[in-house]
Amino acid sequence: MGSLAAVLRHPDDLYPLLKLKMASRQAEKQIPSEPHWAFCYSMLHKVSRSFALVIQQLGTDLRNAVCIFYLVLRALDTVEDDTSIPTDVKVPILIAFHRHVYDREWHFSCGTKEYKVLMDQFHHVSTAFLELGKGYQDAIEDITKRMGAGMAKFICKEVESIDDYDEYCYYVAGLVGLGLSKLFYASGTEDLAPDSLSNSMGLFLQKTNIIRDYLEDINEIPKCRMFWPREIWSKYVNKLEDLKYEENSDKAVQCLNDMVTNALMHVEDCLKYMSVLRDHAIFRFCAIPQIMAIGTLALCYNNIEVFRGVVKMRRGLTAKVIDRTNNMTDVYLAFYDFSNILKPKINKNDPNATKTLSRVEAIQKACMDSGVLNKRKSYIIQSGLRYSSTMIVIFFIILAIIFSYLSSTRASK
């Protein structure tokens, strides 16, 4: 009912939602027949449906390399995330993980749900990895080795300073950006991007996730996970978990705004990185998550609900982003629009208001300097609800067809 209400409020979400659904089903039909590749692509759909969708547009060799790169790092992350694994067991696994990808027999039981399946049957990932070209293998091994060492370092170290925060995000996400740039280069379709820009691409996504996932991470059992840097949160509360308590709501929002402001510093680098990509499929692969990140930050900023539950973009808007992101004009327009959503939420009494406003205006200037903002209407910011009679009729016809199909299916059973 929640999804239905959202579509009724935003009827122009319906068509992109239907396209996304059909594309998702088509992607599932394209899963290879070989057992190890079938496992890898099936697992990819389970651990990240949206990611599985955007990589389907990549060329076959690059798509396979990115799929395995993602699953290897997802497995590494599963080891790091499992707070039930003793430190003396976890650290050696993280440090040696880059060697395990060459071992068809290696597996390690940890994690939950689909992540446990991934770890229990990791031999399928190793088998697929060994079929990749050497350039792809070398890039994946190098990034896995560096990431595992960085994760091991922060198992025994808390995120104290903002420098620590940037270093941690570099290990778990900046290196992903560097690795993807290496894979793009190895495919022969892109030049090798500067490490600084690749790092910013990863940091912007990771910091967005850390902000959005505060409540999930702080409530982790048996041990909470704390990635917000003490240098920021200690300005507002005595303990990081205090942010979730209602009596600290004002301070929590100020701390949240501080975190969002920190994340926004990476946007201009991200725009530079995307602006020089040549391959359309690689461009979409990179641009869609970045637009989702700026949209998520616009929703999270000054929003106490970050400490009460889950804050995320509505599914219909996500479908629009996936459907309509095809070139830098789309990217500049989306970043400009989402920054326009965030800008009016800046409270002049917020301790970081001046810094936040400066960063938002810098983003808007970069978008305006592109000279393309007047070429297309916004699908993100709309002047009002537009319920055309045609749209409403089509919507209810589709509902009737779906209801009829479900009814006939139940009757046949």
Side-chain angles (χ1 to χ4, degrees), residues 8 165 293 369:
L8 287 172
Y165 183 45
D369 287 349

PDB file of all heavy atoms in Angstrom, residues 8 165 293 369:
ATOM      1  N   LEU A   8       0.563   7.067  -6.583  1.00  0.00           N
ATOM      2  CA  LEU A   8      -0.561   7.991  -6.721  1.00  0.00           C
ATOM      3  C   LEU A   8      -0.122   9.438  -6.492  1.00  0.00           C
ATOM      4  O   LEU A   8      -0.648  10.363  -7.123  1.00  0.00           O
ATOM      5  CB  LEU A   8      -1.677   7.605  -5.748  1.00  0.00           C
ATOM      6  CG  LEU A   8      -2.471   6.339  -6.102  1.00  0.00           C
ATOM      7  CD1 LEU A   8      -3.412   5.971  -4.967  1.00  0.00           C
ATOM      8  CD2 LEU A   8      -3.237   6.531  -7.402  1.00  0.00           C
ATOM      9  N   TYR A 165      38.918   9.011   9.523  1.00  0.00           N
ATOM     10  CA  TYR A 165      37.675   8.780   8.774  1.00  0.00           C
ATOM     11  C   TYR A 165      37.961   8.689   7.274  1.00  0.00           C
ATOM     12  O   TYR A 165      37.522   7.753   6.594  1.00  0.00           O
ATOM     13  CB  TYR A 165      36.719   9.924   9.075  1.00  0.00           C
ATOM     14  CG  TYR A 165      35.342   9.860   8.455  1.00  0.00           C
ATOM     15  CD1 TYR A 165      34.589   8.696   8.449  1.00  0.00           C
ATOM     16  CD2 TYR A 165      34.775  11.014   7.899  1.00  0.00           C
ATOM     17  CE1 TYR A 165      33.304   8.668   7.906  1.00  0.00           C
ATOM     18  CE2 TYR A 165      33.504  11.006   7.364  1.00  0.00           C
ATOM     19  CZ  TYR A 165      32.767   9.831   7.366  1.00  0.00           C
ATOM     20  OH  TYR A 165      31.497   9.825   6.836  1.00  0.00           O
ATOM     21  N   ALA A 293      23.540   9.035  -4.447  1.00  0.00           N
ATOM     22  CA  ALA A 293      24.200   9.504  -3.220  1.00  0.00           C
ATOM     23  C   ALA A 293      23.834  10.953  -2.914  1.00  0.00           C
ATOM     24  O   ALA A 293      23.481  11.279  -1.771  1.00  0.00           O
ATOM     25  CB  ALA A 293      25.714   9.350  -3.347  1.00  0.00           C
ATOM     26  N   ASP A 369      28.263  26.237 -14.530  1.00  0.00           N
ATOM     27  CA  ASP A 369      29.376  26.515 -15.437  1.00  0.00           C
ATOM     28  C   ASP A 369      29.434  25.542 -16.608  1.00  0.00           C
ATOM     29  O   ASP A 369      30.089  25.822 -17.628  1.00  0.00           O
ATOM     30  CB  ASP A 369      30.706  26.473 -14.679  1.00  0.00           C
ATOM     31  CG  ASP A 369      30.901  27.687 -13.768  1.00  0.00           C
ATOM     32  OD1 ASP A 369      30.115  28.645 -13.890  1.00  0.00           O
ATOM     33  OD2 ASP A 369      31.830  27.658 -12.935  1.00  0.00           O
TER      34      ASP A 369
END
